[in-house]
Amino acid sequence: MPNFEISLLYPSSEASEKNAQGLDNPKISMETLEALELDYAIELQNSRLCDMFTMDKEVIEYRQEVFKDLLENEGLCTLLNKLCPILSDISDLRRLSSESDATDSYLYCITEIELYITAIELLNDGLLPMKDTLKSSAFINLYERVSELTKSEYYADLNVRLKELTKRVREVKSVTIGVNLDSRLRPESAGVLSVNNESFKSGELLQKILRLDFKSDEYTCIASLQPFKKGQSDNQQYVLNNAFNNALNDVFKSSMRSWKRVVSAYVLENADFLIKLSPEIEFVTKATELIKNLKQAENPLVFPEITSFEDKVFDVKGIYNPIVAMKTGSKMIENDFAFDKNGMFYVLTGPNRGGKSVITCAVGHVFALAQLGLPVPASYAKISAVDGIFTHFPTSAEDTIDKGRLGEECARLDEIFEDVTENSLVLLDESLSSTGSYEASYIASEILSGLSIVGCRGIFSTHLHELGMMIDDINEKTKFQGGERIDTLVAGIFEGERSFIISRQKPDGKSYARDIASKYGISLDKIIEKVKKNK
C-alpha cells in the first residue's frame, strides 16, 4: 500500500520541512496579526496562525487549489468539521494511555481502533460522492489514501476482530471484586473475581419490592461501599479508575496480546497521518468560514496571481477591508491600489475617520491572506509575496512609564529596522501622534528616508498633512543612495462628506478642515449669523 505524504498545505514533504525549519516563513508576528485583527478573523485553538504563512509561490498555488475545492464542494467543509472531534479524541486517548500506569492499555487500544475505523469510514463515505469533482492534488491524494486503506486486507481483518472484541467488552456490565482482610478486618489485597454481563442490584428494600424479588443472589449487594465518585478528589478518582483499567486489561490481555503487533504496526501508523492533519484541517475550515462570511455580504473575492518574489508586484483592483466587511456585513467602498516605480511607499493623508486606517490595514490583509493561500478582498490581484509584515499602530498607554509615549513609539519604530528588508511590507498608522507636528514631521521624514533606502513597500497613514509636502525633498535626498520613490495618497472628501475613495495626489489639509467645518456649520459667516440671533 502506498504510504505517500498527505498535506492540505504543502505539496511535498520537502516544502513542509522547509516551513518547519522557518526557511520560507515570512516574519509575521502574532502582534501584527492582532493589529490587523486577523487573529479574530481566523481564530485557531490548536495552532498559531503566524506559523501558517509562506513565501513559496508553489505552496501558495497548491493551497489555492485546496480552497477552491472547499468552496466548490459544499459538503467538504462539513466533512472535515465532523472529522475534527474524532481526531481530537484519538489524541486525547493517546495522551491518557501514556499517562496511565498500565504498561499494556488494551482497552485504550480497542477504543483507538474504533475511533480510527470511524474516521476512515467517515472520510471514505464523505469523499466518495465528490471524488470526480475534486481538483486539488491534496484532496485527491487524501481520497486515494483512504480508499486504499478501506480496500486493504488489514482493514477488513481489523473490522472483524474489532467487532468480536468490542462485543465482549461492551457486554461487561459489572465486575465482582474480592478483597482479602487481615486479622483486624483491614483490606489487605484485592482483585477481580469475575467479569459479568449483568449490572449488580443495590440490595435496598425499595428495589426488592419493585422487583418483587426478596431473595439475595450473586448480583445483589448486601452492603454498599462509599458511593463511586461522590466526595472523591480527582486524584482518588484517578487511582480508582486506573485500578479498574489495569484489572480489566489483565482480563482481556489474552485476547489482545496476539493483536498488539497489528495495532502498533498498522493502526498507529495510519492514524498518525490523520492526527498530523488536525492543525491543517482546523486552519482550512476556519479560513473557509471567513471566505463564506465575506461572500454573504456580496463583496468581491479573487485568488491572486502570484508573481516571482523579486518582481515586487502589487496591483490590486477593488480592494476593501475584509474585517470591516465581516463586522458590518455590508457592501464596502472599493479602491484600486498599486506599488510601482513611482511609489513603492506612500504617505496617506486625509480627514479623521476618512478611511486612512481602513485602507492601510486592507493592504496588509491582501498580502497576509494571499500568503495563506486564500482569496483576497478585491476583484483583481497580482502580487509578489513579502518576507515580512511589520506594523506600527496606535497602542494603549502601557510600557510608556519609563520611556514616555514618544520614546515608546520611537523604540518600536527602531525595532522595525532590525528586520525589514527590500522585500518587506511596513504599515504605519498615525505614528508619532504623541508629539507636536513639527517634531513629528521631522522624525517621520527620517523614518521615511530610511524606509526609502531600504526599498520596502508600505504606507504611512498620518494626520501630518505637512509631511506630504516634504516628500519631494525626501526623494531628492535618498535618490543618490538608491532609495525607492515615495508618493502621496489622499483619502477624499466631497462636499463635506467622506468618500472613502483613496486617490494618488498631493494633500491639501486646509480643504479637509474647510469642508468638514462647512458641513457642521462652522464658518465665520454662519457664526456671526447665529450670534446676531442671540442678541
Side-chain angles (χ1 to χ4, degrees):
M1 183 188 310
N3 188 22
F4 43 79
E5 186 78 16
I6 304 287
S7 173
L8 302 182
L9 300 183
Y10 302 100
S12 65
S13 56
E14 291 77 15
S16 178
E17 184 62 27
K18 277 178 63 179
N19 181 269
Q21 294 176 5
L23 299 179
D24 76 337
N25 298 38
K27 291 180 179 177
I28 304 175
S29 66
M30 286 305 297
E31 289 76 17
T32 291
L33 295 178
E34 289 170 8
L36 295 173
E37 295 187 85
L38 282 174
D39 61 324
Y40 155 80
I42 305 175
E43 191 174 357
L44 304 181
Q45 302 296 325
N46 301 311
S47 57
R48 301 191 312 161
L49 186 60
C50 60
D51 294 331
M52 299 293 177
F53 292 93
T54 180
M55 298 182 287
D56 191 314
K57 179 177 183 290
E58 183 186 4
V59 173
I60 293 172
E61 291 172 344
Y62 178 86
R63 295 180 183 186
Q64 287 182 348
E65 295 305 310
V66 168
F67 283 109
K68 287 175 185 176
D69 267 349
L70 283 163
L71 292 170
E72 291 169 10
N73 295 275
E74 187 67 30
L76 200 49
C77 237
T78 304
L79 174 64
L80 294 180
N81 279 322
K82 288 180 180 178
L83 182 64
C84 280
I86 299 174
L87 300 183
S88 178
D89 285 345
I90 294 176
S91 296
D92 289 344
L93 196 66
R94 289 188 177 184
R95 178 181 55 80
L96 289 171
S97 180
S98 67
E99 293 173 356
S100 171
D101 291 338
T103 54
D104 292 307
S105 299
Y106 296 109
L107 296 180
Y108 285 137
C109 284
I110 293 174
T111 307
E112 179 170 346
I113 296 165
E114 270 192 304
L115 290 170
Y116 165 73
I117 289 177
T118 301
I120 294 298
E121 287 182 348
L122 177 68
L123 280 172
N124 189 60
D125 294 345
L127 291 173
L128 182 61
M130 61 180 82
K131 68 182 180 67
D132 293 329
T133 62
L134 298 174
K135 297 173 184 174
S136 68
S137 57
F139 282 118
I140 291 172
N141 286 342
L142 180 60
Y143 168 72
E144 289 178 352
R145 177 69 177 273
V146 169
S147 180
E148 287 282 345
L149 287 171
T150 57
K151 293 173 184 175
S152 71
E153 291 182 12
Y154 284 108
Y155 186 80
D157 184 53
L158 203 64
N159 268 288
V160 172
R161 294 198 184 195
L162 179 68
K163 287 176 182 177
E164 294 172 357
L165 280 171
T166 52
K167 183 175 185 295
R168 290 187 58 198
V169 173
R170 298 297 179 256
E171 285 177 350
V172 174
K173 301 299 182 183
S174 66
V175 293
T176 302
I177 304 295
V179 180
N180 291 323
L181 306 177
D182 65 11
S183 59
R184 296 184 182 181
L185 299 181
R186 293 175 303 187
E188 191 173 47
S189 61
V192 175
L193 299 182
S194 65
V195 177
N196 315 309
N197 58 8
E198 290 185 37
S199 299
F200 75 83
K201 307 174 186 68
S202 69
E204 295 177 358
L205 179 61
L206 179 60
Q207 291 291 326
K208 291 183 177 183
I209 293 172
L210 291 175
R211 292 195 311 270
L212 298 177
D213 177 11
F214 294 92
K215 295 180 180 179
S216 295
D217 57 40
E218 58 184 328
Y219 293 112
T220 302
C221 284
I222 60 173
S224 296
L225 297 176
Q226 177 181 343
F228 186 68
K229 289 190 177 181
K230 291 183 180 179
Q232 293 180 329
S233 67
D234 290 340
N235 187 56
Q236 287 173 320
Q237 290 183 32
Y238 171 78
V239 170
L240 189 56
N241 279 326
N242 206 44
F244 275 107
N245 282 338
N246 284 342
L248 289 174
N249 273 325
D250 286 339
V251 172
F252 290 101
K253 183 180 293 184
S254 59
S255 300
M256 283 291 295
R257 184 180 286 119
S258 62
W259 210 25
K260 185 73 173 177
R261 184 173 57 84
V262 177
V263 171
S264 58
Y266 178 82
V267 177
L268 299 183
E269 176 186 340
N270 288 294
D272 275 347
F273 95 91
L274 290 174
I275 299 289
K276 290 176 182 176
L277 282 179
S278 292
E280 297 185 2
I281 291 173
E282 182 190 26
F283 165 66
V284 298
T285 52
K286 291 290 181 67
T288 304
E289 287 177 18
L290 169 64
I291 300 168
K292 290 180 177 179
N293 287 338
L294 291 172
K295 280 181 172 290
Q296 286 179 355
E298 299 183 350
N299 290 297
L301 285 164
V302 65
F303 284 98
E305 176 187 347
I306 305 298
T307 66
S308 67
F309 193 66
E310 297 76 17
D311 289 343
K312 296 178 67 172
V313 170
F314 187 85
D315 183 13
V316 181
K317 313 293 184 190
I319 187 175
Y320 63 93
N321 188 307
I323 304 300
V324 176
M326 193 167 63
K327 288 181 177 180
T328 62
S330 60
K331 181 79 173 158
M332 300 292 293
I333 299 294
E334 299 169 18
N335 282 282
D336 295 344
F337 198 100
F339 292 112
D340 54 37
K341 63 180 181 179
N342 293 316
M344 277 294 177
F345 210 100
Y346 291 104
V347 172
L348 170 59
T349 57
N352 290 333
R353 303 183 66 82
K356 300 193 302 295
S357 298
V358 171
I359 193 68
T360 300
C361 287
V363 171
H365 294 144
V366 168
F367 274 107
L369 295 177
Q371 292 185 227
L372 288 171
L374 294 169
V376 299
S379 54
Y380 167 84
K382 187 175 182 180
I383 301 170
S384 299
V386 292
D387 63 8
I389 300 177
F390 303 96
T391 55
H392 187 276
F393 288 7
T395 62
S396 63
E398 63 185 42
D399 196 33
T400 61
I401 296 174
D402 293 333
K403 302 186 188 80
R405 189 173 171 196
L406 178 60
E408 185 269 341
E409 283 198 277
C410 289
R412 288 172 54 218
L413 286 165
D414 186 54
E415 287 175 4
I416 291 175
F417 284 97
E418 294 179 6
D419 295 308
V420 70
T421 76
E422 63 178 335
N423 294 309
S424 303
L425 175 72
V426 177
L427 303 173
L428 312 175
D429 184 32
E430 297 294 358
S431 298
L432 306 171
S433 58
S434 59
T435 189
S437 60
Y438 178 80
E439 293 87 352
S441 295
Y442 170 78
I443 298 172
S445 69
E446 294 293 289
I447 295 292
L448 287 171
S449 297
L451 293 171
S452 168
I453 293 170
V454 169
C456 62
R457 285 162 280 181
I459 304 173
F460 191 149
S461 165
T462 180
H463 64 291
L464 300 169
H465 301 288
E466 57 269 37
L467 185 60
M469 307 301 180
M470 302 167 66
I471 296 305
D472 290 341
D473 292 337
I474 294 173
N475 283 330
E476 188 66 26
K477 179 172 67 174
T478 60
K479 179 172 64 174
F480 300 104
Q481 300 180 65
E484 294 281 5
R485 283 189 59 80
I486 297 174
D487 204 354
T488 55
L489 298 172
V490 171
I493 274 191
F494 180 71
E495 295 182 352
E497 296 289 341
R498 295 167 177 78
S499 67
F500 303 103
I501 297 297
I502 308 300
S503 57
R504 198 167 182 170
Q505 64 184 58
K506 295 288 185 185
D508 179 7
K510 293 180 181 178
S511 65
Y512 303 139
R514 183 168 57 247
D515 286 345
I516 294 172
S518 175
K519 175 183 177 180
Y520 292 104
I522 306 298
S523 68
L524 182 58
D525 291 341
K526 290 184 177 180
I527 290 172
I528 291 174
E529 184 180 334
K530 288 181 180 179
V531 170
K532 286 181 178 179
K533 284 182 180 179
N534 293 332
K535 287 185 178 180

